Amino acid sequence: MSQPQQIRDESDFDQLPDNIPISATIADIEEKKGFIDYFRFVVDVKTKGGSKYLIYRRYSEFFNLHQTLQNKYSPEDPERPGPNTCTLPPLP
């Protein structure tokens, strides 16, 4: 099998601004108790410039986003995905 060939000599990554997020990981999960009990995810985001920031989101917000993405981009036949589709991993 042949190696993939790079189309351009220079990567577009170098042209991106330093504040562009390049990775996100779940740093923590907080249980909030009160009138309504819920879980909140703490997402650690790293930027191209090396800075970091935290995003706090409820599970329901991730679930709603996941459902929207599934409805929009999931293939009708999972065995034969189309060019503009993807199979998302399930949420826990």
Side-chain angles (χ1 to χ4, degrees), residues 2 15 26 37 46 48 60 69 92:
S2 65
Q15 299 173 15
I26 296 179
D37 295 344
K46 294 180 183 168
K48 179 185 171 240
S60 62
L69 292 173

Side-chain angles (χ1 to χ4, degrees), residues 28-57:
D28 196 10
I29 300 172
E30 301 174 343
E31 184 176 6
K32 295 294 187 180
K33 293 189 176 276
F35 184 69
I36 298 175
D37 295 344
Y38 63 92
F39 287 94
R40 184 170 71 171
F41 291 88
V42 180
V43 181
D44 183 14
V45 179
K46 294 180 183 168
T47 66
K48 179 185 171 240
S51 63
K52 294 173 24 174
Y53 59 91
L54 299 174
I55 297 174
Y56 298 87
R57 294 289 184 269

Side-chain angles (χ1 to χ4, degrees), residues 14-27:
D14 297 332
Q15 299 173 15
L16 294 173
D18 285 344
N19 64 347
I20 295 294
I22 58 169
S23 71
T25 56
I26 296 179

Side-chain angles (χ1 to χ4, degrees), residues 67-78:
Q67 292 297 98
T68 301
L69 292 173
Q70 272 190 323
N71 291 337
K72 191 169 184 176
Y73 296 109
S74 289
E76 290 181 21
D77 181 3

